[in-house]
């Protein structure tokens, strides 16, 4: 539910030719998803044939089993996290037992602050969640 626009998303949009140069990255770190964004129905109607062409191309890619090749380790592991891995090998094992998406979310979150003390504080705060195999935003245990 977007407040200011609606969109059509293509999960394998990076594989589309983008013949009409209309596709946008979903977010700055998005590798695959591409979207067509609209703020008014007239925008949709004015490019309806192009939209259909993108959908036909996306269906064909899916039928052919096309796969997106994702770049690995986009974000560097912050030095503070590396230091804690050295101090606590069991923590390093727990961290790398998380799914790649969970690891990436933590790395991005831990890397955001400019001050080292804040990065360390964030890592300490989420140690238990990592040890329990939980993601950054897990609130409830099932």
């Amino acid at each position: 539910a977007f407040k200011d626009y609606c969109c059509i998303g293509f999960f394998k949009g990076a594989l589309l030719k983008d013949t009409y140069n209309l596709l946008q990255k979903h977010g700055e770190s998005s590798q695959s998803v591409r979207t067509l964004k609209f703020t008014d129905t007239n925008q949709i109607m004015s490019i309806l044939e192009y939209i259909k062409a993108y959908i036909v191309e996306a269906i064909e890619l899916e039928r052919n089993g096309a796969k997106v090749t994702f770049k690995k380790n986009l974000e560097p592991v912050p030095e503070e996290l590396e230091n804690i891995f050295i101090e606590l090998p069991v923590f390093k094992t727990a961290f790398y037992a998380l799914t790649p998406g969970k690891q990436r979310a933590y790395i991005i979150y831990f890397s955001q602050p400019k001050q080292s003390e804040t990065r360390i504080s964030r890592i300490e705060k989420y140690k238990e969640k990592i040890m329990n195999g939980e993601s950054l935003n897990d609130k409830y245990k099932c």
Side-chain angles (χ1 to χ4, degrees):
F2 304 110
K3 291 180 182 180
D4 300 325
Y5 66 92
C6 71
C7 72
I8 298 173
F10 298 92
F11 291 110
K12 296 180 183 178
L15 300 177
L16 296 172
K17 293 177 190 153
D18 197 12
T19 308
Y20 308 106
N21 201 30
L22 298 171
L23 297 174
Q24 300 174 13
K25 277 187 146 186
H26 187 64
E28 73 178 56
S29 61
S30 176
Q31 293 185 53
S32 178
V33 175
R34 299 294 184 269
T35 60
L36 294 170
K37 293 183 180 180
F38 308 101
T39 56
D40 144 333
T41 54
N42 290 329
Q43 290 176 315
I44 296 169
M45 297 312 292
S46 69
I47 62 167
L48 191 57
E49 291 305 313
Y50 299 159
I51 295 170
K52 289 178 183 177
Y54 282 118
I55 292 171
V56 167
E57 185 182 356
I59 291 169
E60 197 57 35
L61 285 170
E62 197 59 36
R63 282 188 181 141
N64 292 333
K67 303 274 184 208
V68 175
T69 303
F70 292 97
K71 296 175 188 171
K72 302 290 182 192
N73 300 326
L74 293 176
E75 292 79 19
V77 175
E79 183 180 335
E80 294 82 0
L81 186 57
E82 288 285 2
N83 291 339
I84 293 175
F85 287 163
I86 292 167
E87 294 171 22
L88 296 168
V90 68
F91 179 66
K92 179 179 182 176
T93 301
F95 183 84
Y96 286 109
L98 297 171
T99 64
K102 289 179 182 180
Q103 291 173 29
R104 185 167 180 258
Y106 277 117
I107 288 171
I108 291 170
Y109 182 68
F110 294 156
S111 299
Q112 286 172 342
K114 292 180 182 178
Q115 294 186 357
S116 180
E117 296 81 23
T118 308
R119 288 191 294 270
I120 292 168
S121 171
R122 284 187 177 188
I123 294 166
E124 291 295 329
K125 180 179 175 182
Y126 285 90
K127 251 189 204 174
E128 187 176 339
K129 286 184 86 152
I130 291 169
M131 294 298 287
N132 292 332
E134 299 174 26
S135 74
L136 183 66
N137 297 311
D138 281 349
K139 293 180 183 173
Y140 308 101
K141 290 189 177 185
C142 296

